[in-house]
Amino acid sequence: MSGPTVIVICAGEATRWGGHRGTPKHLLAPEGERLLDRTVRLAREYGAGRVLVVSKPGDTRYEVDGAKRVDARLTPSNADADKFLSSRHLWSEEGRTVVLYGDVWFDDDAMARILRDERREWLMWCRPGPSTVTGATSGECFAIGFWPEHHTEYETALHRVASLWRAGLLRRCGGWETYRAMCGVPDASLRTHRMHSRYEVIDGWTEDFDKPLDYERWLDRRRGRSVSVVIPWRPAPGRERAHAWVLQRWREHFPSWQVVTGRAPDGPWRKGAAVRDGLARTSGSTVIVADADVWCDSVEEAVDEVAGGRARWAMPHKLVRRLTEEATEKVLRGGPLDGATVETHRGMPGGGMVVLARAVATGVPMDPGFEGWGQEDEAWAVALETLAGPMWRGTADLVHLWHPPADRLNRRVGSPESQARLGRYLEARDRPDTMRALLAEFCTSPLEGSPMTYRYRNANTGDEVEYSHPNARLEMLPNWSRVPVDDEPEPVHEPAPAVPETASPHPEPEAEQSGAQATIGRPPVSEPKARWVEYALGLAQDSDEAAEITTLTKAQLIDRYGSKEN
């Protein structure tokens, strides 16, 4: 008996996905292989007969080895049901048909169970409620299988829910509504999420990516990372819009990461104090300290090095590109980051954007004793190198938005006092005990232990060697691999805690999920304007609103945002 006809549907509108990560969700490659390529490959490995990829007409990006791309026959008035009806002409008239959702990462167990099932009945393959592995809080549909005798039943159910949607009686007309229609549920109950019969539960790492937050949460869980971003900042003329743009950028690109603005006390600016304030309000096991006027597209690579235990601290960038005032204005208005620059220079270790393991961020903190601008980043890098070991460094550029220059002696030196304080760090370089004693002046628990080394293991012999810096030769050899710090296992693929018994077993799958980062609580009216600006920015829906917030008076902020719920 030949295998089932497999139809991979990729012709939906993906309105909730938008342009996240610059690619359609079906073409994401979370582990080096695109979702679509993985789905086709697994379908072939587990017994598929024909494999057909249904995409929008003429979209050659969906042409995959091992499958035939077919243009969808689209009828937009059918809304969500159209992604299934658009492949009606491809359903097998002789054997089993399996329709796979194209925006799903399938694990091997799920694909094997779906394709090797030979029961002569239609079946929905889904997760009715929260996932015990990925941490997703709602249910998802992944596939449906049926035989020729079910074609009319399936097609009728799809047209039924599409008609109810057009009449305004259904909010959606997708997989769940169609499943309930096929189970004979009356029209009035199609919106109620309840499982009936004809379904098989799929759990594990299989997950559907409807929204950017779905994907980012899955990716964090899969890679064993929990990330917090600390942005040290204080309102200053000419800097507010850049800060608003940076906040929005973090939240759009990494919606699952916690973003906190660190505030320094009144008086001279102290970046270390602002970092300390922000760090105290974070929860991530990996911490990013990022200036309020910079961005680096490759920060995720540095995060993975730290979260994976291959480095204790890292910087994603090698060079800093300082944009002109005109180029910055274009960026703040929604333009690209490739504008004209004032200069390009090598990034100062410890400055711009730094990624650290939480133990390192707390045990080797940035010195809050530096006042004004200058030397605090350099001193921090010396302390980190001495106590945490060598820095992992990426090769990307850090883009620095223009703003009025800060007061300092010159571009290199902030003040004589800061230069003298840096001298104490330089004297303690490579002397861990001396460095810990220096940090103990303002840190109750300086990082203990020896500086990190780079450890490699030979897969053939089991031999291990250590170096103080990455070994380029061993990095290239296939039989050598870098192992985590202190021989701790890679913190990935850990199952999520079980859902509490008191939780509802089947929460409504279509419910919107809230962001991972907590919006800062609504401040009292007596708080300064800066506090209200920060609170309002946490509620902003887009970059235009965020930019407008910085122009409002305190009274206007209270009037507009004082009654909004978190």
Side-chain angles (χ1 to χ4, degrees):
M1 179 178 178
S2 62
T5 294
V6 172
I7 301 173
V8 187
I9 52 172
C10 303
E13 290 300 317
T15 54
R16 289 177 290 174
W17 182 256
H20 188 59
R21 288 187 177 256
T23 185
K25 53 187 177 178
H26 322 94
L27 307 182
L28 293 165
E31 297 187 345
E33 181 181 30
R34 300 188 311 175
L35 260 62
L36 180 58
D37 296 302
R38 177 183 176 84
T39 297
V40 171
R41 175 177 62 80
L42 290 179
R44 285 295 186 192
E45 290 178 4
Y46 290 108
R50 290 196 307 162
V51 179
L52 306 171
V53 175
V54 180
S55 70
K56 291 185 176 180
D59 197 335
T60 59
R61 294 175 298 175
Y62 290 82
E63 294 179 355
V64 180
D65 291 340
K68 178 183 178 181
R69 191 193 69 79
V70 181
D71 287 345
R73 297 181 179 178
L74 300 173
T75 305
S77 61
N78 287 325
D80 285 351
D82 196 42
K83 60 189 177 186
F84 306 103
L85 287 168
S86 64
S87 66
R88 171 63 183 90
H89 58 296
L90 303 174
W91 299 353
S92 174
E93 297 294 340
E94 299 176 354
R96 183 170 179 246
T97 299
V98 175
V99 177
L100 300 175
Y101 289 35
D103 55 355
V104 171
W105 191 95
F106 289 96
D107 63 24
D108 286 68
D109 177 70
M111 190 66 77
R113 290 177 56 205
I114 293 169
L115 293 194
R116 291 175 176 173
D117 194 294
E118 296 183 355
R119 285 172 285 182
R120 194 85 184 191
E121 58 183 346
W122 70 262
L123 284 169
M124 171 75 78
W125 301 83
C126 61
R127 188 185 66 240
S131 172
T132 59
V133 176
T134 69
T137 58
S138 63
E140 293 288 355
C141 303
F142 302 125
I144 186 170
F146 50 88
W147 297 81
E149 58 265 33
H150 306 126
H151 288 188
T152 299
E153 181 181 4
Y154 186 33
E155 186 175 8
T156 299
L158 287 166
H159 281 296
R160 175 186 166 193
V161 296
S163 176
L164 290 170
W165 176 84
R166 288 192 294 270
L169 300 176
L170 281 180
R171 185 163 58 94
R172 295 181 185 176
C173 55
W176 286 116
E177 292 79 11
T178 304
Y179 161 76
R180 292 192 279 267
M182 293 182 73
C183 290
V185 174
D187 291 355
S189 300
L190 287 176
R191 297 171 61 180
T192 302
H193 182 56
R194 182 176 297 134
M195 304 309 296
H196 299 273
S197 60
R198 304 291 189 88
Y199 72 94
E200 288 289 329
V201 176
I202 294 292
D203 207 339
W205 282 102
T206 298
E207 192 59 83
D208 180 280
F209 305 129
D210 289 324
K211 304 184 290 294
L213 185 59
D214 298 335
Y215 178 69
E216 298 300 334
R217 282 177 170 169
W218 182 92
L219 200 62
D220 285 344
R221 198 66 168 256
R222 183 77 174 170
R223 296 182 180 179
R225 64 191 192 192
S226 170
V227 185
S228 295
V229 182
V230 176
I231 302 176
W233 186 71
R234 171 185 287 175
R239 294 178 181 249
E240 290 87 350
R241 292 177 65 209
H243 175 235
W245 182 91
V246 165
L247 282 177
Q248 189 68 16
R249 188 86 170 181
W250 281 111
R251 289 165 179 163
E252 287 177 350
H253 280 65
F254 302 105
S256 61
W257 293 1
Q258 180 187 31
V259 181
V260 173
T261 295
R263 301 182 297 270
D266 293 338
W269 166 250
R270 290 189 287 146
K271 180 180 177 180
V275 171
R276 181 171 60 187
D277 170 75
L279 183 61
R281 293 183 281 118
T282 63
S283 58
S285 57
T286 299
V287 177
I288 303 171
V289 176
D291 288 347
D293 48 18
V294 301
W295 182 258
C296 181
D297 282 327
S298 297
V299 63
E300 191 172 23
E301 186 179 3
V303 166
D304 286 336
E305 289 297 313
V306 173
R310 294 178 294 275
R312 285 183 175 174
W313 71 293
M315 292 180 65
H317 60 285
K318 186 174 184 179
L319 298 178
V320 176
R321 292 194 301 110
R322 294 183 176 273
L323 299 186
T324 64
E325 184 175 2
E326 293 76 14
T328 296
E329 181 62 29
K330 291 180 180 178
V331 169
L332 296 179
R333 292 181 178 274
L337 286 169
D338 56 2
T341 59
V342 175
E343 63 175 356
T344 299
H345 60 82
R346 186 173 179 83
M348 169 69 70
M353 193 175 289
V354 182
V355 183
L356 315 96
R358 187 171 193 85
V360 174
T362 57
V364 192
M366 176 176 281
D367 190 340
F370 284 92
E371 294 186 353
W373 298 90
Q375 281 64 69
E376 69 279 358
D377 295 340
E378 188 177 353
W380 194 27
V382 172
L384 287 167
E385 289 170 354
T386 300
L387 295 183
M391 169 184 66
W392 180 92
R393 186 159 205 168
T395 58
D397 290 349
L398 183 84
V399 178
H400 186 284
L401 302 179
W402 182 91
H403 57 74
D407 291 334
R408 60 177 71 187
L409 286 180
N410 53 54
R411 286 292 306 275
R412 179 66 179 171
V413 179
S415 67
E417 293 78 12
S418 293
Q419 189 70 6
R421 196 170 182 88
L422 170 62
R424 298 182 64 193
Y425 282 84
L426 296 176
E427 291 175 0
R429 184 195 294 270
D430 299 327
R431 299 162 61 190
D433 290 341
T434 304
M435 186 64 73
R436 289 191 193 98
L438 176 56
L439 295 185
E441 295 180 13
F442 58 88
C443 174
T444 56
S445 302
L447 188 69
E448 293 291 341
S450 302
M452 173 186 171
T453 56
Y454 287 85
R455 184 183 303 173
Y456 297 86
R457 180 179 296 144
N458 188 304
N460 298 331
T461 66
D463 293 340
E464 294 187 2
V465 293
E466 290 186 350
Y467 297 90
S468 59
H469 295 282
N471 185 295
R473 178 174 175 273
L474 296 187
E475 295 274 356
M476 296 175 60
L477 295 177
N479 57 320
W480 285 91
S481 61
R482 198 188 303 178
V483 296
V485 181
D486 298 329
D487 204 25
E488 295 175 356
E490 293 272 0
V492 296
H493 302 186
E494 290 294 324
V499 178
E501 294 182 1
T502 56
S504 172
H506 304 311
E508 177 60 38
E510 296 88 345
E512 292 295 324
Q513 301 173 9
S514 60
Q517 70 273 359
T519 304
I520 298 170
R522 185 171 52 208
V525 174
S526 59
E527 286 285 290
K529 175 187 174 182
R531 183 77 170 82
W532 275 93
V533 168
E534 182 177 1
Y535 169 69
L537 288 172
L539 298 173
Q541 297 300 306
D542 52 44
S543 57
D544 289 339
E545 182 181 357
E548 183 185 7
I549 284 170
T550 62
T551 68
L552 301 177
T553 66
K554 177 181 173 180
Q556 290 171 323
L557 291 167
I558 294 173
D559 180 65
R560 184 176 299 186
Y561 296 96
S563 62
K564 288 195 175 184
E565 297 295 331
N566 285 348

